Amino acid sequence: LLCRNLSSELKKSIDEKVLKNDIVLFMKGTPNEPQCGFSRAVVQIFDAQGVDLRKIKAFNVLENEELRNGIKEYSNWPTVPQVYIKGEFVGGCDIMLNMHQSGELEDLLVKEGLIS
Amino acid sequence: MATVTKESLERTLQEKFEAKHVEVVDTSGGCGNSFEVVIVSSMFEGKSILQRHRLVNEACKLEIAQLHAFSQKNYTPSQWTNLQQKDKA
C-alpha cells in the first residue's frame, strides 16, 4: 500500500507559498507565539540577524494536519521547522543555528537583499 | 515498530556512517522521544551542511519519523580534531 501525504493540489499550493515569498517558515505556532523551542529558535535567529519579522511568511503546521505531513514529503525533510529563502530550501533549526554562528546566514541574507 | 533507544540509534549511526565517533544524548527527560546526536565520519567529507543532514535524515528515516525532536551535528574527522583542540585550549 502506497501512502502519500502530498496531493498534487497541496504540492502546488506549497510551490506558490515558497516562490511568492522571500522568506517562508513552516513552524509550530506563530512567530509571536511559537509552540516549540525549535521553531522559537529559528524566529529568534532571524530577529538576531536584523530581519524585519514582517518579511517572514510563516505557516503554522499545527493548524493544518495536511500541511504538517505534506511539507515533510515536499522538502524531503523529516522535521519542522523548515526555512525557505527565495524559493530555496535552507534547512531546519540545526542548520540555521550553524549558519548563524558561522556567518553564512548573514552572507545569504545580505546577498538576497533581506538585510543590509 | 520497535521503539527508538539511545543504544539503537548509536548502533544505526555507527554502522551506516562507519563513524569514528558517535554521541547520542537523550534530551527527552525520559520519554525517549527526543535525541541530540554528534556524528564524526569521513563520509561527510566534501559535503555541505544540508547534504550531511540529508544523509543522516535518510539513514535514520524510520527512527526520526517516530521522534518528537532530532538534532544533529555532523563533522569530518579533521573538523572534529580541530574542535577538540579548541576545547582544550
Side-chain angles (χ1 to χ4, degrees):
Chain A
L1 187 71
L2 190 65
C3 174
R4 282 179 57 89
N5 294 310
L6 190 65
S7 63
S8 52
E9 220 171 291
L10 180 61
K11 182 179 181 302
K12 212 177 124 210
S13 115
I14 298 176
D15 272 337
E16 275 172 17
K17 289 177 174 65
V18 165
L19 294 171
K20 264 192 197 153
N21 303 284
D22 288 343
I23 303 177
V24 178
L25 171 59
F26 296 96
M27 67 181 291
K28 292 182 179 173
T30 64
N32 289 325
E33 287 186 48
Q35 303 279 315
C36 168
F38 294 91
S39 291
R40 182 188 305 276
V42 169
V43 174
Q44 284 172 340
I45 290 168
F46 276 122
D47 195 31
Q49 287 285 348
V51 173
D52 180 351
L53 296 186
R54 285 170 301 186
K55 280 188 188 161
I56 300 173
K57 183 74 180 159
F59 295 92
N60 182 358
V61 302
L62 297 180
E63 279 181 350
N64 186 335
E65 190 64 28
E66 198 194 1
L67 180 64
R68 183 178 183 168
N69 294 319
I71 188 64
K72 296 178 182 174
E73 199 175 318
Y74 179 87
S75 318
N76 186 26
W77 191 260
T79 49
V80 173
Q82 298 186 6
V83 174
Y84 281 80
I85 294 179
K86 293 268 166 121
E88 290 281 331
F89 180 65
V90 177
C93 180
D94 287 339
I95 291 184
M96 288 290 288
L97 192 59
N98 201 313
M99 289 177 73
H100 175 57
Q101 286 162 345
S102 71
E104 282 170 83
L105 183 60
E106 188 180 358
D107 294 345
L108 176 66
L109 292 169
V110 169
K111 192 187 97 194
E112 300 295 356
L114 296 164
I115 53 171
S116 46
Chain B
M1 205 179 284
T3 357
V4 185
T5 62
K6 182 178 181 290
E7 290 72 27
S8 71
L9 206 50
E10 270 168 0
R11 216 167 25 240
T12 307
L13 293 170
Q14 189 75 54
E15 280 167 14
K16 297 206 177 167
F17 291 95
E18 294 163 16
K20 229 187 125 195
H21 179 75
V22 170
E23 256 173 67
V24 176
V25 180
D26 183 337
T27 50
S28 70
C31 76
N33 246 328
S34 169
F35 292 97
E36 271 178 27
V37 307
V38 174
I39 309 162
V40 181
S41 165
S42 51
M43 284 186 194
F44 297 136
E45 220 75 69
K47 295 198 167 57
S48 72
I49 309 180
L50 182 60
Q51 288 169 330
R52 294 177 190 190
H53 278 245
R54 286 212 185 276
L55 276 181
V56 176
N57 291 343
E58 187 55 39
C60 302
K61 214 175 183 171
L62 294 175
E63 287 89 350
I64 293 173
Q66 296 182 66
L67 300 176
H68 168 71
F70 183 80
S71 176
Q72 50 180 300
K73 287 184 181 148
N74 312 316
Y75 303 105
T76 62
S78 63
Q79 286 176 322
W80 181 245
T81 313
N82 287 341
L83 266 179
Q84 302 294 94
Q85 277 163 357
K86 251 190 225 166
D87 279 350
K88 268 184 221 153

